[in-house]
Amino acid sequence: MEKTVSSAFISAETIQKQLHELWVCLGQQKSAVLRACAMTLIVVDRGQEEGTGEIYDILAALMRNHPSRAIVLHLTPSTQEAIQARVFAQCRLPLGQSRQICCEQIEITSDVSRLPEAVTIVLGSMAPDLPVVLWCRSFDLLDVTGFRDLANVVDKIITDSGRHSEPQIAFRRLLTLRRGQGVVADLAWTRLTPWREAVAQVFAMRACATSSPHISQVRIWHGGPKASTAAYYLAAWLINCLGWKPGESGELAMLPIEIAAPGEVMGLEAVSPEMTITVRQQSISELNIRVNGVQYHVRLPASPHAEALSEEMSILGADLVYDRSLERVVELLRP
Amino acid sequence: MHSEGNPFQDPIRFEGRLPPCAVVIFGANGDLVKRMLMPALYRLAAGRHLPPGFTIVGNSRTPMNDGQFREVMKAALNVHLSGDVVDAHVWRDFAQGLFYCSGDAGDKGTYQKIHAALKSASSQRHTEGNVLFYLATQPSLYETVAEGIFAAGLARGDGWRRLVVEKPFGHDLASARELNRKLQRVFDESEIYRIDHYLGKETVQNVLAFRFGNGIFEPLWNRRYVNHVQITAAESLGVEGRGAYYQQTGALRDMVQNHLLQVMATVAMEPPAAFEPNAVRDERAKLLRSVRIWKPEEVLANAVAGQYGSGRVGEGEMPGFRQEPGVDPEARTETYAAITLFIDNWRWAGVPFYIRTGKRLARRVTDVAIHYNTAPHALFQSDLVGGLLAKTPNLLVLRIQPEEGISLRFLSKEPGLGMRLRPVSMDFDYGSSFGTRLPSAYETLLLDALAGDASLYTRQDMVEASWAIVEPILEVWAQANFEFPNYAAGAWGPAAADEMLARRGHAWRKP
């Protein structure tokens, strides 16, 4: 079910009116529908990022865990064309039920020069009294003036430094944003959850827990010639957990695997005199963990982007582990 | 547990991590294991909730080796993993931790084999000596197994020990105490986890979140505002091949003494000082101890027994209970129970709590309905609202199954000229607000037991308090000469249950 609004005078009111009409239409359908909304998710996309076309697939996957009013703001290169909007509902019929569950989506297309105007439409279209999460697909937008008006009113900003060519700059920007904005998440960090979870499980073993103060070497393998933000995050988190003090304690090595895809973390190894703990990405779907002669596997998410976003949308408060890791990584990269 | 002080843990992102451990399941070839436990454990593995090296040692009398046991369990998963298929990668790691020791529960050699399997798991799979024993056997074997565990020296070791016991916890107060005495010869009360799968249901847990996580409901959660409470656990099915067992048990023992009193305790308890196992259980126990115990002469006015006869349900003709396979044609077992309870404490004095449960009722539904008082001054004519609705226009329903959620009914002006009121419902639906699959009660409860969290498990004092409530009713019913059957299959229970509520000016909901 879809309503397209396209005029020189698009406003939040016209969108609200179209939304209302959409629900009236849905209500007249033969099968019952239930409107589900637990938050507003604003997606800002410049059409330059990889996987722009996947946004709606990701949103569809997210709606299962986080039914939201999704507002997708597509920013196009400057053409001076009118802002366009369309509203539609994404519905699904849960297995064995007769009632469809529908989430509303608003798509706004605007050229980048009209960002401040588009932002006012977004601000007026948010679902009232519910949390607002902003998923900013373009890291560079974080510094754009019009964008800041939007960033200032949301409860959480989710971005992704994974492809940033200069990790040092990305981390500083994130730190600044986090200090000024509050809750900021980086999907490059979120995608490490299965890695960190696997390591945490290893250190739940008595023998590993006992040997952790004696770990003197940490090696992290990353894809491509330069370490990605994810690789640095993992390193910072590990040495925080091991209690290494800046400038002392053990030896940290970041090792490239040039044939692997840039940005990926490929493996880690923690070495103490008593044991070696190894976690390697065996395939895109699996981690292989070896410790103390035991080998086991951890499944990686089938849709890492959607699952990472879903994870972040579940956490609306402070994340101290991330905060500490971000501060540590900035410290690590300080010249 | 090492994970408590594990600096690598991230409670926001990966909660409920478990220490290395093994589970020994007695009755491992039984229906409960195949239908419930194994799917729950597999799903925990698939969700990355189980620790590395997690080991399951199954025991039953059926001769099998490890490989055959793995095949039997995989076949069970293929049947009972509703809506899912067994993932080859998850199964590969999960199956590596499955072991089997055949043997009779009364045979000492059985426990020696289990001892050896656990020792091997500890050294090869690093389970660190932590063991959870799960009694999925016939209740008559509980004592034998506990003694076997004790005699083989399995009850103590390097790591922790826990024992999970399925209901029934006795068949009356005396037998419950006796069972407990025997179990406590081997395990400390803090190591005994009495499982009541109702408490593991997501929506029952949500009652705590709803009551104590919000500021607006708890002030209305008392005798000043609540008129009465109805707790319904209705089954549309009959005894489904369990006739022989069920006729020894009946609805009061099968559902009320355990599940529904626990649900009532969760709904009515005082706020715990902290969300910690014993703080929560203390409040539940205190609530159960506050329930008024009926004197024999009060029982029949406040407790109604029923038994279904044959009847037409939809297109089909359903047999009566006495015609079910394995059931005595003269059976006097109740397949329906409705009771009125009062909680004699400051909060609930004078508020009736009506509990009903039964087989072959009109539909399958479990819910708790809180009926609120009317506004203090009747501004609108009651005939504009209509009958009983005018007496309790506001209704809060906590739906436990099937469509888990919460509804609030209130009156609203009907659109148009004039002032007519009609009830409308504000619904929160678990399935639509959180589209993820709800974990099964067994997943929740197993994870809790492995993590050492007994919040959702029943403690002995709660078991005893529950038996103290239902025992006088059972005794009077045992002497009563009911005219069974007294309700038809597909109906909402016997007329006497309606009369019980009508005497207090109330009526059962049709959920």
Side-chain angles (χ1 to χ4, degrees):
Chain A
M1 184 63 66
E2 185 175 318
K3 292 262 167 193
T4 303
V5 197
S6 178
S7 77
F9 304 107
I10 286 178
S11 65
E13 282 70 32
T14 52
I15 288 178
Q16 295 288 353
K17 193 165 167 250
Q18 295 299 326
L19 273 177
H20 176 74
E21 287 176 13
L22 175 76
W23 287 107
V24 170
C25 288
L26 284 167
Q28 289 164 348
Q29 282 189 350
K30 217 172 183 180
S31 60
V33 293
L34 186 72
R35 180 184 195 170
C37 183
M39 63 170 65
T40 298
L41 173 63
I42 303 168
V43 187
V44 184
D45 175 70
R46 285 217 292 193
Q48 294 166 342
E49 296 78 26
E50 257 181 64
T52 293
E54 289 172 6
I55 290 178
Y56 292 98
D57 292 340
I58 292 175
L59 287 179
L62 286 177
M63 291 307 147
R64 299 181 71 82
N65 287 359
H66 304 284
S68 317
R69 176 180 290 182
I71 305 174
V72 182
L73 175 56
H74 288 296
L75 296 173
T76 57
S78 203
T79 57
Q80 300 300 312
E81 280 182 10
I83 294 176
Q84 292 195 327
R86 77 186 170 112
V87 298
F88 54 101
Q90 188 159 54
C91 300
R92 66 186 177 89
L93 187 63
L95 192 69
Q97 289 196 18
S98 57
R99 194 166 52 169
Q100 290 192 87
I101 297 169
C102 297
C103 295
E104 55 208 12
Q105 294 190 359
I106 302 166
E107 183 186 78
I108 299 169
T109 308
S110 163
D111 78 45
V112 80
S113 65
R114 299 182 74 172
L115 178 62
E117 201 180 328
V119 165
T120 61
I121 297 171
V122 173
L123 292 177
S125 303
M126 298 188 303
D129 306 317
L130 289 172
V132 184
V133 173
L134 170 61
W135 173 24
C136 178
R137 286 173 50 81
S138 173
F139 207 81
D140 298 335
L141 274 172
L142 297 174
D143 290 333
V144 176
T145 312
F147 181 80
R148 284 203 196 120
D149 295 338
L150 191 56
N152 285 338
V153 299
V154 303
D155 296 286
K156 179 168 187 170
I157 299 174
I158 302 173
T159 189
D160 192 344
S161 70
R163 299 278 177 198
H164 205 285
S165 56
E166 296 295 337
Q168 202 169 347
I169 295 170
F171 289 132
R172 282 211 196 116
R173 192 172 287 170
L174 280 163
L175 195 61
T176 309
L177 191 65
R178 197 156 178 95
R179 283 177 180 158
Q181 190 60 41
V183 184
V184 177
D186 184 355
L187 296 177
W189 162 263
T190 321
R191 286 189 291 270
L192 291 174
T193 298
W195 287 81
R196 297 193 301 117
E197 194 176 3
V199 174
Q201 287 200 334
V202 166
F203 282 100
M205 292 182 191
R206 194 182 297 145
C208 298
T210 314
S211 81
S212 79
H214 311 297
I215 288 174
S216 56
Q217 284 185 324
V218 168
R219 296 189 189 103
I220 291 177
W221 284 268
H222 56 83
K226 278 176 77 174
S228 61
T229 52
Y232 282 116
Y233 273 136
L234 189 58
W237 172 73
L238 259 173
I239 61 177
N240 269 350
C241 295
L242 290 169
W244 287 9
K245 299 281 180 285
E248 48 184 79
S249 303
E251 177 194 330
L252 169 69
M254 308 291 279
L255 305 166
I257 299 180
E258 303 228 358
I259 50 164
E264 298 284 326
V265 175
M266 302 308 296
L268 75 85
E269 192 172 77
V271 183
S272 76
E274 302 88 29
M275 65 174 62
T276 298
I277 296 159
T278 313
V279 183
R280 287 195 188 281
Q281 182 164 343
Q282 186 160 294
S283 66
I284 55 161
S285 62
E286 202 167 56
L287 296 180
N288 178 293
I289 295 107
R290 283 168 194 266
V291 57
N292 248 356
V294 179
Q295 180 180 199
Y296 62 98
H297 304 86
V298 167
R299 295 284 285 162
L300 291 170
S303 327
H305 291 304
E307 292 208 21
L309 268 167
S310 178
E311 184 177 321
E312 287 303 339
M313 287 166 75
S314 300
I315 305 168
L316 293 176
D319 180 353
L320 295 178
V321 178
Y322 174 64
D323 284 348
R324 283 198 288 263
S325 301
L326 180 60
E327 284 179 13
R328 190 67 188 261
V329 82
V330 169
E331 200 175 271
L332 270 178
L333 289 171
R334 195 168 285 151
Chain B
M1 188 164 107
H2 303 292
S3 55
E4 280 169 7
N6 180 351
F8 295 85
Q9 289 295 343
D10 185 344
I12 295 181
R13 304 208 182 235
F14 26 98
E15 54 181 330
R17 300 299 103 202
L18 301 177
C21 56
V23 173
V24 178
I25 303 176
F26 295 93
N29 196 32
D31 200 39
L32 174 72
V33 175
K34 290 173 184 167
R35 282 190 307 112
M36 298 294 183
L37 292 189
M38 208 45 76
L41 287 165
Y42 170 84
R43 283 189 192 279
L44 290 175
R48 307 198 305 259
H49 296 291
L50 297 181
F54 181 75
T55 300
I56 297 170
V57 179
N59 159 260
S60 77
R61 283 184 303 182
T62 316
M64 276 191 278
N65 58 30
D66 293 342
Q68 288 165 323
F69 180 58
R70 287 169 190 164
E71 285 309 310
V72 170
M73 290 303 120
K74 191 174 183 187
L77 287 178
N78 282 326
V79 175
H80 298 294
L81 208 59
S82 44
D84 260 334
V85 288
V86 179
D87 179 283
H89 290 91
V90 176
W91 173 252
R92 179 193 58 198
D93 280 5
F94 185 72
Q96 279 174 9
L98 284 178
F99 302 92
Y100 185 76
C101 301
S102 65
D104 194 275
D107 179 0
K108 281 182 187 171
T110 302
Y111 300 92
Q112 298 306 328
K113 285 192 224 170
I114 293 171
H115 200 310
L118 288 174
K119 209 170 164 188
S120 160
S122 194
S123 63
Q124 306 287 314
R125 296 181 58 78
H126 306 289
T127 55
E128 301 191 351
N130 297 320
V131 187
L132 181 140
F133 298 101
Y134 200 111
L135 302 189
T137 60
Q138 300 271 3
S140 57
L141 290 174
Y142 288 174
E143 183 189 345
T144 312
V145 174
E147 282 175 359
I149 289 170
F150 178 73
L154 289 168
R156 292 286 169 262
D158 288 344
W160 48 254
R161 294 290 187 276
R162 291 176 196 138
L163 177 78
V164 178
V165 191
E166 282 278 341
K167 69 154 195 167
F169 314 124
H171 54 87
D172 55 20
L173 182 56
S175 60
R177 283 181 173 151
E178 178 63 9
L179 170 66
N180 193 52
R181 195 180 59 74
K182 286 169 178 165
L183 294 180
Q184 287 192 352
R185 279 207 305 241
V186 182
F187 294 95
D188 184 74
E189 172 63 24
S190 64
E191 296 171 321
I192 302 173
Y193 289 65
R194 296 173 193 82
I195 199 164
D196 185 326
H197 73 269
Y198 256 64
L199 288 183
K201 287 181 185 289
E202 200 74 15
T203 33
V204 175
Q205 295 174 67
N206 193 37
V207 172
L208 298 179
F210 182 77
R211 288 188 59 193
F212 306 130
N214 297 297
I216 59 169
F217 300 110
E218 200 53 25
L220 309 177
W221 215 265
N222 56 54
R223 65 185 304 278
R224 197 165 163 203
Y225 298 99
V226 175
N227 184 281
H228 68 281
V229 178
Q230 296 184 15
I231 300 175
T232 301
E235 287 288 343
S236 56
L237 297 175
V239 289
E240 303 304 301
R242 293 168 66 228
Y245 160 78
Y246 195 83
Q247 73 174 351
Q248 304 297 323
T249 312
L252 202 61
R253 282 191 176 94
D254 192 44
M255 289 295 292
V256 178
Q257 181 273 330
N258 36 62
H259 305 320
L260 299 184
L261 286 179
Q262 289 298 329
V263 170
M264 185 182 86
T266 306
V267 169
M269 72 186 204
E270 294 299 315
F275 192 59
E276 288 167 0
N278 269 333
V280 175
R281 299 200 299 176
D282 284 347
E283 294 305 334
R284 280 204 186 99
K286 207 166 78 183
L287 189 285
L288 290 170
R289 285 197 298 271
S290 307
V291 173
R292 190 183 305 167
I293 310 290
W294 292 123
K295 296 182 184 122
E297 62 274 22
E298 296 169 326
V299 165
L300 290 178
N302 292 292
V304 173
Q307 187 189 85
Y308 64 86
S310 59
R312 284 197 73 81
V313 179
E315 296 290 301
E317 182 71 32
M318 295 297 160
F321 177 65
R322 290 172 174 173
Q323 288 81 52
E324 297 274 11
V327 175
D328 179 352
E330 299 295 318
R332 296 172 63 233
T333 310
E334 82 283 357
T335 60
Y336 175 98
I339 59 173
T340 304
L341 294 174
F342 286 94
I343 298 167
D344 290 335
N345 67 12
W346 200 267
R347 184 189 285 257
W348 295 114
V351 177
F353 279 71
Y354 301 116
I355 299 178
R356 65 174 160 171
T357 182
K359 299 275 185 200
R360 281 259 190 266
L361 297 182
R363 63 176 288 219
R364 173 180 172 255
V365 60
T366 302
D367 65 20
V368 179
I370 297 160
H371 292 249
Y372 283 91
N373 287 323
T374 50
H377 172 62
L379 203 58
F380 305 103
Q381 286 176 39
S382 64
D383 58 354
L384 293 182
V385 182
L388 282 167
L389 192 58
K391 289 186 183 172
T392 55
N394 298 126
L395 177 67
L396 181 70
V397 181
L398 310 170
R399 299 192 307 270
I400 295 169
Q401 62 185 19
E403 289 159 355
E404 297 92 342
I406 296 170
S407 302
L408 178 65
R409 183 181 75 188
F410 55 93
L411 295 180
S412 173
K413 181 187 173 299
E414 208 174 283
L417 301 174
M419 184 54 105
R420 281 186 177 278
L421 305 188
R422 75 171 180 202
V424 291
S425 177
M426 205 155 66
D427 279 342
F428 155 69
D429 185 286
Y430 237 93
S432 58
S433 292
F434 307 100
T436 39
R437 184 190 68 84
L438 299 182
S440 71
Y442 275 93
E443 282 169 67
T444 304
L445 292 167
L446 278 164
L447 197 65
D448 281 0
L450 292 167
D453 181 348
S455 307
L456 299 175
Y457 284 84
T458 311
R459 215 169 46 190
Q460 179 60 15
D461 55 344
M462 295 152 84
V463 173
E464 291 186 14
S466 303
W467 278 119
I469 295 165
V470 301
E471 200 167 62
I473 301 171
L474 285 168
E475 284 169 1
V476 171
W477 282 3
Q479 305 304 318
N481 190 18
F482 295 119
E483 287 187 16
F484 284 161
N486 58 356
Y487 71 98
W492 271 113
D498 297 336
E499 288 156 16
M500 180 176 82
L501 265 68
R503 285 196 288 276
R504 291 194 169 88
H506 300 141
W508 288 112
R509 289 172 57 239
K510 300 285 182 282

